[in-house]
Amino acid sequence: MLYVHAVAALLAVSCVLKEAVSWGYKNGVLHNSIWLEQAAGVYHRESRKGRYQLTYKEAKAVCKFEGGSLASYEQLEAARQIGFHVCAAGWFDKGRVGYPIVKPGNNCGYGKVGIIDYGYRLNKNEKWDVYCYNPNSKECGGVHTDQEKILQSPGFPDEYPDEQICYWHIRVRYGQNIRLQFLDFDVEDDVDCISDYLEIYDSYDDISGFAGRYCGDELPEDFLSTGNVMTLKFLTDSSVSAGGFKLQYTAIDSSLLSNNNTSTYT
């Protein structure tokens, strides 16, 4: 019996070590070679009516409408491991509710990191946001850890579709900042930018770090983050669209910037 327990323990340790080896840092960003590509297909959605307005049935319909499905716990955790951080509880696979936290905060995650898990909900008419998974449709949002990349509105250079909510979460190496440069910009114009707009957040999510909301056809000025993370949110209403936008982000070592711009999120 002792021999059986010993063998079982060794096998368990072997599995843990094998799994630990697959996780690691690449260019200062935590990656998993098995799940990385899948994780990029995880994204957060909320109702056009606002936050926490989707029943479980409606949440599944949102993901299906975009050609995806509800994300599994494993897919959500894989995305979190490469920097996916959203301070908003949402449905995921099998009627579970929770949200991914990378950096603990006073108003988000109860000071914890990981998947803040509300468990399986018996009442499927409760209203939350949703976490979807679609590895084949990354045009609208996603998690981005490249050192440099071009991002654009859905359908660009053609007009973007109505009723879109897209989140791009950018995370580069610790000790770097993110420079955002707009190459093309044409979003439905109105006085207060409430119909269609692009928002920039100097943070992991759209809860804190609001830096600006943009619409119209005037090219926004370049933006430099204060740390190694940034979130972009693009929202469109049910009528009137425009040409959309194209932008480029670039990672810059903080040591190359002035002392006023060297703080980082860790």
Side-chain angles (χ1 to χ4, degrees), residues 80 84-87 99-104 108-109 112-114 116:
R80 190 196 70 81
F84 188 49
H85 172 109
V86 184
C87 190
Y99 56 97
I101 293 298
V102 172
K103 179 183 173 69
C108 190
K112 300 177 182 178
V113 233
I116 307 304

Side-chain angles (χ1 to χ4, degrees), residues 107-124:
N107 300 317
C108 190
Y110 311 104
K112 300 177 182 178
V113 233
I115 303 298
I116 307 304
D117 191 357
Y118 291 6
Y120 298 96
R121 314 308 294 174
L122 296 178
N123 181 5
K124 298 299 190 294

